[in-house]
Amino acid sequence: MITIIGSLNFDLVTTAKRIPEGGETVGATNFATFHGGKGANEARAARRLSPSDVKVKMVGLVGDDTFGNELRAGLEKEGVDVSQVNYSDKRTGIATILVDAEGENRILVYPGANGDFSIDKVSEDLWAESEFVLLQNEIPLESTLEILKQAAKTVKTVYNPSPILDVPNSAYENVDYLIVNAIEAGIIAHNDGNSVQTQNDAEKVLDSLLDLGVRTAVVVTLGSHGAVYASKEGSERGFVSAAKVKHVVDTTGAGDTFLAGFISQVHQGKPLEESLQFATKASAIVVSREGAAASMPTLEEVLSS
C-alpha cells in the first residue's frame, strides 16, 4: 500500500494575463475551483498512476464544512482509502492560486485543519499496512519529522520538503527517497550561497544531499530541463530529460504528479531511470491542462503517450 500523509486544500484558481502588482487591480480571464493540497494531489495521482491492485490511502484532516466534505468524497470516488481523513474543529485548508498567461502560478495557502495534524492522528496499524509513506511540508513540521522517524523503522519513506522549511539535517536519516526541486536542493545542501540552476549544478549537489543520511536515493527536479538522480550505493546515477510540452497551461500539481508517478513505478520495482521517465511524462500531461486534480492523467494515458 502507498500511504500519503499530508494536506488537503480546496483550491480557488484565478487566471489573468498578468499578476497584479501591489495596490493594483487587474481583470481576470477565468475563475475555477479544484480539489488540491499537496497530500491530496499526491494521493489522487498515485491512485490514477498505479495498477488497480495497488491500494492508496490518504491520511489527513479537513474541516466539517462543504469544502472538506467535497474533498473527502472526491478522493473516495477516485478509489483512495479515506478512512483516516478525519475532521478538525478548524475550517478546511484553502489555497488561493493566481495563474498568469504563461502558466506560472503564485499560491497563498491558509492551512486551516491541516495545521492541527499530529502523529496521534495516525493509527498504530498504518505502518504494518504500508510499503511506502509519502510526506511533504504542509502539515506542522514537528508532526512530519516525528512521522518520518516512526515510519522509517518499518516502511520506505518518501519526503518532498515543500514548501521549504528549516529542517534539521538529522531528519534526512529517516528518508529513503528525497525528492526536491532546484531551489530546495540548493538550500538543503547549503550550496555556499550558489543557486542550483543547471543540470551540472544539480549533479554537484547530489552527493551533498546523500551525505545528509538519505537511505536510498535523491532526485533533483529541474522543471522543463528534466531531473538528475543518484542512489545511495552508487549503482544508479544520471539525468532524465523532461518530456516535451507544446503549450503550458497551468503548472499547478505538476510536482505532486511527478512525485506520485515516480513512486508508483518504484513501488513496482522499476529502476530509478525508468521510474523518472514515467514521472516526466505524467507531469508533462498535467501542465498542458488546467487545474491540479482535474489535469492528472491515468496510468493508461501515460503509457500511451
Side-chain angles (χ1 to χ4, degrees):
M1 183 171 74
I2 299 174
T3 297
I4 296 87
I5 302 176
S7 60
L8 300 97
N9 289 328
F10 203 84
D11 292 351
L12 309 174
V13 182
T14 304
T15 304
K17 290 183 178 179
R18 64 182 181 84
I19 304 303
E21 302 292 338
E24 181 185 23
T25 300
V26 172
T29 56
N30 191 40
F31 174 77
T33 62
F34 300 97
H35 297 182
K38 294 186 72 63
N41 286 346
E42 290 169 12
R44 178 175 273 102
R47 175 64 278 152
R48 292 188 185 181
L49 296 171
S50 297
S52 58
D53 61 344
V54 175
K55 186 176 181 180
V56 176
K57 175 176 280 192
M58 178 71 213
V59 181
L61 290 175
V62 294
D64 189 6
D65 50 37
T66 301
F67 287 161
N69 290 325
E70 187 174 327
L71 287 170
R72 202 174 186 277
L75 285 175
E76 189 171 27
K77 185 177 180 180
E78 291 277 357
V80 176
D81 182 341
V82 296
S83 59
Q84 291 190 43
V85 176
N86 295 313
Y87 292 102
S88 164
D89 292 335
K90 292 183 179 178
R91 292 185 61 85
T92 298
I94 296 293
T96 301
I97 303 170
L98 304 179
V99 184
D100 67 20
E102 302 302 317
E104 290 297 324
N105 59 54
R106 282 81 166 171
I107 305 175
L108 286 170
V109 177
Y110 164 67
N114 298 308
D116 277 350
F117 196 89
S118 57
I119 194 167
D120 62 2
K121 304 294 193 298
V122 179
S123 69
E124 293 182 1
D125 59 356
L126 186 67
W127 315 131
E129 297 175 347
S130 305
E131 295 163 283
F132 284 82
V133 169
L134 282 61
L135 293 119
Q136 331 76 30
N137 281 347
E138 287 189 342
I139 59 174
L141 181 59
E142 60 271 22
S143 300
T144 297
L145 299 183
E146 184 60 29
I147 291 167
L148 278 171
K149 183 178 179 181
Q150 294 300 319
K153 295 175 182 178
T154 56
V155 181
K156 291 288 186 182
T157 57
V158 184
Y159 187 33
N160 171 222
S162 176
I164 195 70
L165 299 172
D166 187 14
V167 176
N169 288 348
S170 59
Y172 296 102
E173 297 174 5
N174 297 317
V175 176
D176 284 286
Y177 294 90
L178 177 65
I179 318 294
V180 291
N181 64 26
I183 294 173
E184 293 157 356
I187 293 172
I188 295 169
H190 305 293
N191 196 34
D192 298 327
N194 299 316
S195 61
V196 175
Q197 297 182 351
T198 66
Q199 176 186 340
N200 186 52
D201 293 338
E203 288 173 345
K204 288 179 179 178
V205 301
L206 281 173
D207 289 327
S208 296
L209 295 172
L210 285 168
D211 288 344
L212 292 172
V214 176
R215 306 193 302 187
T216 304
V218 169
V219 175
V220 178
T221 61
L222 300 165
S224 62
H225 299 293
V228 300
Y229 63 93
S231 62
K232 183 69 172 181
E233 76 278 4
S235 61
E236 296 181 87
R237 190 182 187 102
F239 168 77
V240 172
S241 59
K244 293 184 179 179
V245 180
K246 290 183 179 180
H247 178 61
V248 175
V249 175
D250 183 358
T251 58
T252 308
D256 301 325
T257 301
F258 179 96
L259 188 151
F262 172 67
I263 292 303
S264 74
Q265 298 299 294
V266 171
H267 181 265
Q268 296 177 59
K270 302 291 179 62
L272 295 180
E273 182 177 17
E274 185 176 341
S275 299
L276 288 169
Q277 289 170 341
F278 178 90
T280 59
K281 289 181 181 180
S283 58
I285 293 172
V286 169
V287 301
S288 67
R289 303 171 177 173
E290 185 180 20
S295 66
M296 292 173 179
T298 63
L299 175 61
E300 292 71 26
E301 282 184 282
V302 179
L303 292 177
S304 63
S305 65

